[in-house]
């Protein structure tokens, strides 16, 4: 089964973009700041912009119908701000669809949230909130996960652990698109989308894409040993 997005666009910020994702797609979305990564995720989620067609497993993604959309698409925004003191336990249960308590319990254990479960979510560190928001996004088992900088503000252990968790979800058939800046972590993804000035500049296997001259030029970098330097 696949997800298909045809002529995604967002006025003045995202050029018309066509994408197709297969079952288990494990995709890193990269690009300089302001290149259109968040705009693309929002257009795919249908919360902004237009599309000629947006289907998942052959089913049109509905406008409205929050419960059905939650089964098809889970979006984790980059903003970790939370104004109200809702306990983590209650935040994990907030969903337009019923969530499986065993699924939530498994995520709480995997993401080591047990000691945080009764704390107000707005009192957590940014990294702790990132783990909580990821657990909430995963809880309803959406077919497509759109994650905006889920690894930001995480220490190396948690960044690597969450990439491993996401890969396990992909192996189960979930389609995953993850916006990020860390090249070392991006190499762990099967496919890479490179955004530049509101358009999709490169699309291919991560390791091959990162070796292309255009990749380096867009980021204004030059290879240096195993890493990079400003060009």
């Amino acid at each position: 089964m696949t997800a298909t997005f045809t002529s995604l666009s967002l006025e003045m910020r995202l050029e018309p973009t066509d994408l197709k994702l297969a079952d288990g797609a494990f995709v890193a979305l990269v690009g300089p700041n302001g290149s259109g990564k968040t705009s693309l995720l929002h257009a795919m989620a249908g919360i902004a912009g237009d599309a000629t067609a947006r289907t998942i497993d052959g089913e049109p993604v509905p406008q409205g119908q929050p419960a059905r959309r939650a089964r098809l698409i889970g979006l984790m925004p980059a903003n970790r701000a939370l104004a109200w003191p809702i306990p983590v336990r209650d935040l994990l249960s907030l969903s337009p669809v019923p969530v499986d308590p065993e699924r939530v319990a498994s995520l709480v254990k995997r993401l080591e949230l047990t000691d945080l479960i009764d704390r107000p979510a707005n009192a957590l560190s940014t990294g702790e909130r990132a783990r909580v928001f990821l657990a909430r996004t995963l809880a309803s088992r959406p077919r497509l996960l759109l994650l905006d900088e889920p690894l930001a503000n995480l220490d190396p252990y948690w960044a690597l652990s969450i990439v491993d968790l996401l890969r396990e979800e992909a192996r189960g058939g979930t389609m995953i698109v993850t916006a990020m800046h860390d090249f070392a972590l991006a190499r762990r993804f099967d496919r890479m989308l490179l955004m530049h000035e509101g358009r999709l500049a490169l699309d291919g296997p991560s390791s091959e894409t990162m070796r292309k001259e255009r990749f380096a030029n867009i980021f204004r970098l030059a290879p240096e040993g195993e890493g990079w330097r400003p060009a």
Side-chain angles (χ1 to χ4, degrees):
M1 307 299 279
T2 61
T4 302
F5 304 90
T6 303
S7 297
L8 292 174
S9 63
L10 195 64
E11 186 177 358
M12 301 297 292
R13 291 162 61 188
L14 184 67
E15 296 290 332
T17 304
D18 297 343
L19 281 174
K20 180 174 282 189
L21 304 173
D23 258 4
F26 193 48
V27 183
L29 174 61
V30 302
N33 291 332
S35 60
K37 299 186 296 297
T38 296
S39 295
L40 179 63
L41 292 177
H42 286 183
M44 292 174 73
I47 62 173
D50 300 311
T52 302
R54 186 185 291 112
T55 65
I56 296 178
D57 297 345
E59 176 181 346
V61 178
Q63 296 295 329
Q65 301 183 39
R68 187 58 198 150
R69 286 175 57 84
R71 290 294 188 197
L72 293 173
I73 296 176
L75 173 67
M76 178 179 171
N79 189 350
R80 310 286 186 258
L82 193 64
W84 26 290
I86 182 172
V88 169
R89 183 188 306 279
D90 295 340
L91 182 61
L92 294 178
S93 299
L94 280 179
S95 173
V97 297
V99 294
D100 180 0
E102 292 187 4
R103 169 71 164 172
V104 173
S106 174
L107 291 167
V108 166
K109 181 178 180 180
R110 178 67 180 269
L111 293 168
E112 297 183 14
L113 302 176
T114 304
D115 292 342
L116 309 178
I117 201 73
D118 293 314
R119 291 176 57 186
N122 66 330
L124 303 180
S125 72
T126 305
E128 290 170 336
R129 286 200 303 273
R131 285 151 50 203
V132 171
F133 287 175
L134 178 62
R136 183 189 171 209
T137 307
L138 291 170
S140 59
R141 297 184 186 274
R143 290 287 295 116
L144 171 63
L145 280 174
L146 303 172
L147 308 174
D148 198 352
E149 297 289 349
L151 310 177
N153 304 113
L154 296 176
D155 62 42
Y157 171 85
W158 277 114
L160 291 167
S161 296
I162 286 174
V163 171
D164 288 345
L165 171 59
L166 294 177
R167 179 170 284 284
E168 290 172 19
E169 294 290 319
R171 285 172 178 158
T174 303
M175 296 169 279
I176 299 175
V177 181
T178 305
M180 63 176 61
H181 286 286
D182 189 316
F183 291 168
L185 293 172
R187 289 182 188 276
R188 294 172 172 262
F189 287 71
D190 299 329
R191 179 179 171 188
M192 180 175 287
L193 306 177
L194 171 59
M195 296 297 296
H196 180 54
E197 296 181 346
R199 66 184 60 186
L200 185 59
L202 291 172
D203 178 0
S206 294
S207 58
E208 294 179 14
T209 300
M210 294 179 71
R211 289 196 296 267
K212 292 182 179 295
E213 182 178 3
R214 192 176 185 194
F215 180 94
N217 290 342
I218 286 173
F219 279 104
R220 299 188 295 167
L221 297 171
E224 184 174 66
E226 296 297 318
W228 304 85
R229 61 174 174 80

